[in-house]
Structures are given as structure tokens and as C-alpha cells.
């Protein structure tokens, strides 16, 4: 997991979440977190983008589809 890597999560509702890793590092308690830009599109929702942070394990479980570099 490194900055610049891109992953996807496809939801049953035809929504696709695409996450681009900004940085990976520990918080004050030493727990690894991923800061990422999230783009959500599809289904019945309008597309939107925002920055988020998740624990490394949670991120890896949710965004488990790597997107090849273009």
C-alpha cells in the first residue's frame, strides 16, 4: 500500500467507490491509517469526491480491487 495506488469497491446498488491513496502512516496511538481521495459514482446518487481516512485493515478489506495504472 503506497501513495498513488488506486483501488475500487463495487457495491450491489451499482455504486462504484474509487479510492486513491494519498498517504499511509501511524496515528498518535501507532495504528496505521490510510488517507485517501474517494470518488463515488453510479446508482441513483450523483457523483461526488472527498478526502477520507480509514484504518489500514479496514481500507484493505473494503477497497480490495486494485485499479491498474493508466
Amino acid at each position: 500500500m503506497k501513495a498513488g495506488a488506486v483501488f475500487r469497491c463495487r457495491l450491489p446498488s451499482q455504486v462504484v467507490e474509487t479510492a486513491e491513496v494519498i498517504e499511509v502512516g501511524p496515528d498518535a496511538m501507532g495504528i496505521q491509517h490510510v488517507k485517501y481521495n474517494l470518488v463515488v459514482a453510479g446508482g441513483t446518487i450523483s457523483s461526488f469526491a472527498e478526502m477520507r481516512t480509514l484504518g489500514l485493515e479496514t481500507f484493505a478489506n473494503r477497497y480490495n480491487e486494485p485499479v491498474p495504472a493508466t
Side-chain angles (χ1 to χ4, degrees), residues 14-65:
Q14 305 304 312
V15 171
V16 177
E17 296 180 354
T18 304
E20 180 179 358
V21 177
I22 299 170
E23 67 180 8
V24 180
D27 64 10
M29 301 294 289
I31 299 169
Q32 292 289 322
H33 282 76
V34 179
K35 184 183 292 186
Y36 61 100
N37 286 321
L38 175 67
V39 176
V40 179
T44 59
I45 62 170
S46 299
S47 179
F48 71 90
E50 63 186 24
M51 187 169 35
R52 292 190 178 178
T53 302
L54 277 177
L56 178 59
E57 184 176 345
T58 302
F59 180 91
N61 286 335
R62 180 167 185 88
Y63 300 102
N64 56 15
E65 180 186 336

Side-chain angles (χ1 to χ4, degrees), residues 4-10 16-19 63-70:
V6 180
F7 300 89
R8 276 197 197 112
C9 172
R10 297 178 191 272
V16 177
E17 296 180 354
T18 304
Y63 300 102
N64 56 15
E65 180 186 336
V67 176
T70 56

